[in-house]
Amino acid sequence: MKSFLFLTAYFEEANSVLKFFNSQRLLDKKISEAVINQKRVLHLEMGMGCQNVQYSLKKLLGTETQFERIYIVGFCGGLSPNLKIGQIITAQNVVLLKNKVQREFFLRPEEGRDKIQKVLTVDRIIKTPDEKKRLFLDYHVDAVDMETGFVLEFFEVHHVSAPITFIKSVIDTSDQEIPQNLRGSFVEEKNLLAELKNNMKISKERLEKEFLEPFFDSLCEEK
């Protein structure tokens, strides 16, 4: 039986998906399975960045190789000034920037969502408005994450051919600074971190309400 696969980076994103799993069981520490209306749904919490993505996907392919559709869901950073906190976006392409080499992959956009042309994947957190602006202008990309391009690169090498959809909620805008130390003790760092946590709450709620809940409802209603 082919499965729907949901890929997330870390626990806040994972929790949003797993709350819609009924009677889930663990296939591995980070791989969960549910059967909903005779449809098999898998979830993998990959971690952030290239090494975590590759390690996690290798473990996944040890248990499963055939998928009906793959969804990369969670949070992303906004590079375009047009993107707002909590906005749910889907993308047509991903630009992977790895070891100063640029590659581009095609995605399957989700119909009925705010569609951007390109999302950028890099192996680090983009923290300052100046760097966001530079990436936006240099690579003509609207959003940034640390997973999607690495996922497509890995699946290309391992001949996984299912359609892959990027659908994420914007957690920081192009003019917002990310704290340099996510556990910082300085007042300014604490203020930035509090702002980011509030953005995450907004993004998480909208992702669940506007995409995940309707997706799983439709799965339950299919005959």
Side-chain angles (χ1 to χ4, degrees), residues 164-180:
I164 300 175
T165 295
F166 167 100
I167 182 158
K168 293 195 175 189
S169 184
V170 178
I171 195 175
D172 58 281
T173 57
S174 61
D175 60 352
Q176 182 178 0
E177 186 170 350
I178 302 297
Q180 299 298 311

Side-chain angles (χ1 to χ4, degrees), residues 69 72 89-96 103-120 140-143 148 152 163-168:
R69 190 160 181 179
I72 303 173
I89 57 174
T90 189
Q92 294 180 298
N93 306 79
V94 57
V95 176
L96 173 61
R103 293 193 65 198
E104 189 165 334
F105 299 90
F106 295 106
L107 294 160
R108 177 79 63 88
E110 178 78 1
E111 295 302 323
R113 306 290 170 185
D114 290 343
K115 190 182 298 182
I116 63 171
Q117 183 64 37
K118 295 178 182 179
V119 58
L120 176 70
H140 307 288
V141 287
D142 297 291
T148 302
L152 272 81
I164 300 175
T165 295
F166 167 100
I167 182 158
K168 293 195 175 189

